[in-house]
Amino acid sequence: HMYDEAKEEKNAANDVGIRVTSIFFQEYEGLSHPSPEHPVQHAFGKKSLEEKLGQCTFQISPGAFFQTNTEGAEKLYDIVVDRIREVTDDPEKTLMFDVCCGTGTIGLTCLKEGVVGRLVG
């Protein structure tokens, strides 16, 4: 039943030129932050999405905190990388604590760019 509804939604989206790659459902009557008793249910398509952000590729699940504006995030992360370069003499000895890191996009970008040698997040 849920799969049939998802398929109908996908077809309707495709009819207006929107490419649907995945559909998930989650039943919850609260305002935000559903508990594990309200799991996300996969109904159609891919179970995760891949997004390239700078030199990193991330696999994103429905509950992941991920930047929604990739182009804007890349510009912001370029600034972060440049600022770290300005204050770091030896990147290999630089330890970054990526506090409140979500999926870790900032810290992983800095590690991949070689401006930090170690990362905790």
Side-chain angles (χ1 to χ4, degrees), residues 28-65:
Y28 180 64
E29 294 182 14
L31 296 177
S32 65
H33 304 296
S35 65
E37 290 83 42
H38 303 335
V40 174
Q41 301 170 50
H42 177 255
F44 173 83
K46 297 178 181 182
K47 292 191 177 188
S48 64
L49 302 175
E50 279 194 5
E51 180 74 19
K52 187 167 176 17
L53 200 158
Q55 295 185 44
C56 300
T57 301
F58 296 89
Q59 191 173 22
I60 308 165
S61 63
F65 175 80

Side-chain angles (χ1 to χ4, degrees), residues 94-101 104 107-108 111 116-121:
T94 302
L95 169 62
M96 176 183 220
F97 285 96
D98 192 356
V99 181
C100 302
C101 63
L108 291 169
L111 193 64
V116 299
R118 296 179 298 156
L119 170 65
V120 175

Side-chain angles (χ1 to χ4, degrees), residues 84-92 94:
I84 293 172
R85 277 194 182 110
E86 289 174 6
V87 298
T88 305
D89 294 328
D90 189 353
E92 281 191 26
T94 302

